[in-house]
Amino acid sequence: MTLHILTGGGACGMPGTRLQHGSLTRLQLARQRFAVLIIRCMTVQTNLLKAGRGVLGVFPIPGLSPATDVLLILIDKVGDTRTNRKALRALSHELSHLVKTIDDAERKFQSRIDQCDLDDPQRQTLVDGLQRSHNVSARTMIFRDKLKELKELADGLYDGPFLLRCFHSQRDAEILKDLHIGVTKAIQYFNMECQVAIAASVDEILRSLTAIHSTVKEVRVMVSDLRDTQVAEVQDKTLEALPHADAGYRAAINSTKSEFVEGTRMELFERIDSWVEGRTPGKAVCLLSGGAGTGKSTIASEFARRLHDAHDLGASFFFVRGVEDLASTRLFFPTMAYQLAQCQDEVRPHIIAAAREHLKHGRHQQMKYEAENLVRRPLRAVGKQHQAVFIVVDALDECVEDTSEHVLKMLELLMACVRDAPFPLRVFFTSRPEHLVENTLSSSRSPAGVHTISLHDLSPESVKRDISLLLREHISRMAGSSSLLQERPEVVDRLVQRADGLFIYARTAINFLATYPDDLEERVDMLLSEDSEERAIALGPLHDLYLTVLESAFPPKVLERQDKLRARVETTLGCIALLRDYVSPRVLEALTHIPTKETKSVLYHLRAVVLFNPDNLDEVFRPMHGTFVQFLIDSSRCTNRLYFVDARRHHARLAEGCLRTLLYLMKNICNLDNPAVLKAEIPDLRERVRVHVPQHVQYACVHWAAHLSKGEKSGQLGALLAEFASTKMLVWMETLGYMGRLDMADGALSSARDWLERPGRTYELLNQGRQLLIDHFAEIDACPDDVYGSSIYQNGHIPDSFVDGVAVVDANEKHMAIGVS
């Protein structure tokens, strides 16, 4: 027997596909013939029972095969009818329901069978038991008989020529109606009797096999667990064979970095979260930059912890100076691979396989091979749908290896891993300001842009708030703190002021207070004392930090070999420590004649402790904290003489630079058309001072005497002072007058006189200058040009008039006696 199955034509005149009964199951043929029925009735293609859909093989349910044979014939009979399309359509849907009901029953049973492994004995036991079930067989036979009755009823449907179908329409309508009712009852019977019997038989068989099944399952679980354990042990041995460092954020050596206080750093973490959440498009790398002691490592530790809790952390490496494995790049990539395998399950098998091959060539290999074999290649094998993975690398500046070689090479290799990873791989770095690091991360070789966060850009208010919370949190836990904070509530605020934005200062202070909690108040007084000796004792750890920074920026061995570099470093450190006002590198060059390029080079390497903008040499630089200055000028704190600033010698150098600058001062410094005019009548005085009195000149005018008074004595410096006193003292006073700083002139002359110690010509000139200011300060301050009415003789300047050695000027016509007799 051959059946035409029409998948796109058939009754509509399109070619069909011929299938033999022998190649398909009976239920499949039923589906196919029913598909023909739907096409004929609804004249559209249907996917209800396509040929070959849901192939189930040989049905094991007893009695169901004969019933399916009858159903196939019934569908053929119905499909051949030529009348009553509406009734035929309704019947076709009911037949569809019947076919689906039988199909679902078979699938459900097949699913129960498939729960058993192919080699599981109870699989065949289940099949055999059902086929021998008398209860199931009896009900499926009754179901078959019901279908036979429907088939015999369908025999009465007209299937003759199209032109005669109208004569049979009424009779066919009644038959189709009866068939519809019969199919509905057949469905009900199958659901109520056959399926219930099948389910009961299956449950009975399964209950009898429960003990066996449970035992087999337990054995399988035990075998599986044993196999998994053995596999895990082998994998762990492979990973442990990799040379790796205990460099993660949870390592014991990083315990002090994990003391994050909840509620602090909120402004900063908002910026970091913005990067994490992708609100900085195209930024695969985030660089947190900040000076020494600003809390970078604590931030990195807290960030790594949050990533770990969110299952986003891949690895973390905290460089630590002084610890062999953590102060170099030697173990960086093997450690990265080790942690990635531990933290990311989907990455683990790829790294283990790669490590197995890698170790065949030795445990310690060149960094480029470790990066390629252990990180880059395994990560490339991970699916691109993998969630973002973050790597945290803290304290790049703590790596003592040559930054220009090893660290930069490490960064380039890591960036290649980021670039080639098919999924989002993000890296978070922390470092002190280091131009080589920043340039490498921002170079064209980098896979994406760098999101830079500078701790120095945070609002001072938020930093003060955080330090206050930190101090209060720890001090409140100390014995005796309640009474101290109650009696002296200003203590925390004063310590915050002393910290000046440095978390390391606050941490050091906390440690200092906690060392002897019984002496809490006494130690607080030491921290707040203005006595430098007491404060030096309190801040020892901070001084160690400063020395570490300097040795890292300018290694001692390098300075000892390079005299010129040592001189530049010494001079620049002297300026950082002793300048009385903040100046820019360009101003410093004009004042001291130290080339800007030399100053820039040194300051660049000192950005961990000095605020300096290398992109703007007209912007002032300054130490981040006053304790750095105190450290530099105190040999008991700065124990390496290479960095120690000899204050007296450097003050003398600065005084020399200032005096040489003052020797270039000229009368009528502001280039006024009428110098005799009062200052109040000069509308553009401020602008004239800015243009004609450059910043280095202003600095020299104000601070020369302060440097001189603290500088060591030398013949050269004495000669410069003598030349100043005899040629430029009055011009200096005029300049101070226009600058609005004449008030400090008397003190400056007094300090310079005292520096001389013994009387002489210079001594007498300085005294005359003081007396002039004492007698006529108001007049000179109102009109600086009046200073030239004095009787003080200046080489190159002859006083306007002399009367018995005294200059006389009429008050109404600018005449008054100025000077000393």
Side-chain angles (χ1 to χ4, degrees), residues 9 26 34 102-103 159 169 281 297 332 354 366 375 429 450 463 491 637 773 799 818:
R26 292 176 178 82
F34 182 65
I102 297 173
D103 187 37
D159 58 357
S169 176
S297 292
F332 181 79
Q366 296 176 37
V375 180
F429 292 104
V450 178
V463 175
V491 162
R637 310 180 196 188
L773 291 169
I818 299 179

Side-chain angles (χ1 to χ4, degrees), residues 677-683 685 782:
V677 69
L678 296 175
K679 283 195 308 182
E681 299 173 4
I682 306 173
L685 178 61

Side-chain angles (χ1 to χ4, degrees), residues 144-202:
R144 181 199 62 183
D145 292 340
K146 290 181 177 294
L147 294 180
K148 281 184 177 181
E149 293 175 3
L150 293 175
K151 188 267 295 182
E152 292 172 357
L153 180 61
D155 287 342
L157 291 171
Y158 174 76
D159 58 357
F162 177 84
L163 296 175
L164 300 177
R165 67 179 183 176
C166 60
F167 298 106
H168 302 276
S169 176
Q170 184 62 36
R171 185 189 65 177
D172 285 354
E174 294 176 0
I175 293 174
L176 289 173
K177 180 179 179 181
D178 292 338
L179 285 173
H180 189 280
I181 295 172
V183 171
T184 301
K185 291 182 177 179
I187 293 171
Q188 293 174 349
Y189 180 84
F190 187 85
N191 285 332
M192 298 295 293
E193 298 292 337
C194 298
Q195 290 214 65
V196 172
I198 293 170
S201 296
V202 170

